[in-house]
């Protein structure tokens, strides 16, 4: 493949690649480093890319392999065999003015990266089970399990937030009622 | 034919939020370090097949460890 054509295609995938990195890391700096490593590996190994095939899928594969390799290495170094510590390393999102979406982001951060990855591939990028299994290098049953557990965890978290919001509203209502001498309608 | 996931009552709401999060991330400006990297790509030495990295899939999608 002509390198200038390859570069143009790489550039066209950069933002989606970074969004995919964010779905794995939930951390801006880590996502940037991950994308940088991915682009460098892709560029220096462009001879392995088969022209006419899906470059975005190829880049996704490099990115996720890099991410999980780094995570395994970090886990070995700190004795974090389950990845619990590395999973917990994240930054809070910037305030985006949409409380519900910010809460959803927070709930998403609490999921294991493997579940976030499958939720993104299937829920956002519309991959089939088979395609997701191929990208992740696992069986279809594992994809289904990660998807279901991820969605259930998010659903539970969202329902909990609904209850918390109702409780807050009730408390605020009580305060208004009390301040007005209990005459509020 | 490819299998598609079965829908649960909350799936559409979750997927809608997942898409919003992903779109926000995908629409964000690229940071300077990545823009710089793209500018420098042409100057980066291109390795031969033997010098390839461990996380790069080969032609058949397998990963070298």
């Amino acid at each position: 493949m002509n390198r200038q054509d390859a570069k143009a295609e790489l550039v066209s995938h950069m933002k989606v690649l970074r969004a995919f990195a964010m779905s794995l890391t939930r951390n801006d700096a880590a996502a940037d480093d991950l994308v940088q490593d991915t682009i460098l590996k892709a560029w220096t190994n462009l001879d392995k890319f088969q022209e006419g095939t899906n470059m975005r899928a190829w880049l996704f594969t490099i990115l996720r392999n890099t991410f999980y390799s780094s995570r395994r290495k970090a886990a070995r170094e700190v004795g974090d065999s389950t990845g619990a510590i590395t999973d917990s390393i994240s930054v809070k999102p910037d305030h985006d003015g949409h409380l519900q979406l910010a809460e959803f982001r927070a709930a998403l951060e609490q999921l294991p990266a493997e579940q976030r990855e499958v939720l993104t591939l299937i829920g956002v990028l519309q991959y089939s089970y088979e395609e997701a299994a191929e990208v992740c290098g696992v069986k279809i049953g594992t994809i289904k399990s990660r998807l279901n557990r991820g969605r259930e965890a998010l659903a539970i978290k969202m329902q909990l937030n609904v209850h918390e919001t109702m409780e807050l509203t009730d408390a605020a209502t009580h305060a208004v009622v009390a301040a007005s001498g209990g005459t509020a309608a | 034919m490819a299998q598609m996931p079965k829908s649960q009552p909350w799936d559409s709401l979750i997927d809608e939020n997942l898409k919003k999060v992903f779109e926000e991330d995908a629409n964000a400006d690229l940071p300077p370090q990545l823009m710089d990297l793209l500018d420098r790509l042409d100057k980066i030495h291109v390795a031969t097949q033997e010098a390839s990295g461990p996380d790069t899939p080969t032609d058949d999608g397998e990963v070298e460890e």
Side-chain angles (χ1 to χ4, degrees):
Chain A
M1 185 179 205
N2 177 296
R3 294 198 82 82
Q4 286 310 310
D5 290 345
K7 181 180 176 182
E9 191 167 354
L10 269 178
V11 171
S12 75
H13 294 302
M14 284 290 281
K15 288 195 168 186
V16 170
L17 198 61
R18 188 174 182 280
F20 185 54
M22 279 295 292
S23 77
L24 290 173
T25 63
R26 302 311 319 161
N27 180 301
D28 287 316
D32 292 345
D33 288 346
L34 187 54
V35 171
Q36 180 166 304
D37 289 348
T38 301
I39 293 298
L40 284 172
K41 284 176 182 171
W43 186 251
T44 54
N45 291 279
L46 205 55
D47 56 322
K48 289 184 177 180
F49 175 68
Q50 290 183 315
E51 193 169 357
T53 61
N54 188 335
M55 182 180 274
R56 190 171 80 173
W58 185 64
L59 293 170
F60 274 22
T61 303
I62 296 172
L63 188 142
R64 68 176 305 284
N65 288 343
T66 303
F67 171 73
Y68 287 112
S69 291
S70 299
R71 200 176 70 155
R72 280 195 297 272
K73 185 181 175 189
R76 281 196 299 270
E77 286 174 355
V78 299
D80 178 26
S81 60
T82 64
I85 295 172
T86 41
D87 271 348
S88 70
I89 298 172
S90 61
V91 292
K92 291 291 180 188
D94 294 333
H95 181 63
D96 57 11
H98 303 287
L99 185 59
Q100 288 182 337
L101 194 59
E103 288 176 348
F104 184 82
R105 278 181 179 272
L108 200 55
E109 285 176 14
Q110 294 172 20
L111 298 185
E114 290 86 350
Q115 290 179 17
R116 285 200 301 268
E117 177 182 43
V118 172
L119 285 166
T120 299
L121 291 174
I122 292 178
V124 178
L125 300 172
Q126 307 290 300
Y127 280 41
S128 67
Y129 282 144
E130 287 85 354
E131 290 167 332
E134 188 176 341
V135 167
C136 296
V138 297
K139 293 179 179 176
I140 289 173
T142 304
I143 293 295
K144 289 179 181 176
S145 172
R146 289 177 183 174
L147 181 69
N148 290 335
R149 278 186 283 160
R151 279 180 168 157
E152 283 173 11
L154 287 174
I156 289 169
K157 183 67 181 172
M158 289 165 79
Q159 286 168 350
L160 284 175
N161 283 344
V162 167
H163 291 314
E164 285 167 7
T165 303
M166 287 173 67
E167 286 168 10
L168 183 64
T169 304
D170 287 345
T173 304
H174 288 315
V176 170
V177 170
S180 61
T183 56
Chain B
M1 184 172 173
Q3 281 183 281
M4 291 304 294
K6 290 178 185 174
S7 292
Q8 296 294 335
W10 56 74
D11 285 356
S12 59
L13 179 61
I14 287 173
D15 287 353
E16 186 182 322
N17 280 309
L18 285 168
K19 285 173 186 168
K20 284 180 185 172
V21 169
F22 191 88
E23 283 169 8
E24 279 192 1
D25 291 336
N27 288 330
D29 289 337
L30 290 175
Q33 75 179 79
L34 294 180
M35 297 300 292
D36 290 345
L37 175 66
L38 292 176
D39 289 339
R40 285 189 288 112
L41 272 187
D42 292 328
K43 298 170 187 170
I44 294 172
H45 171 70
V46 177
T48 60
Q49 183 88 13
E50 291 73 27
S52 57
D55 301 314
T56 310
T58 53
D59 286 343
D60 58 2
E62 293 299 316
V63 176
E64 297 170 7
E65 290 288 356

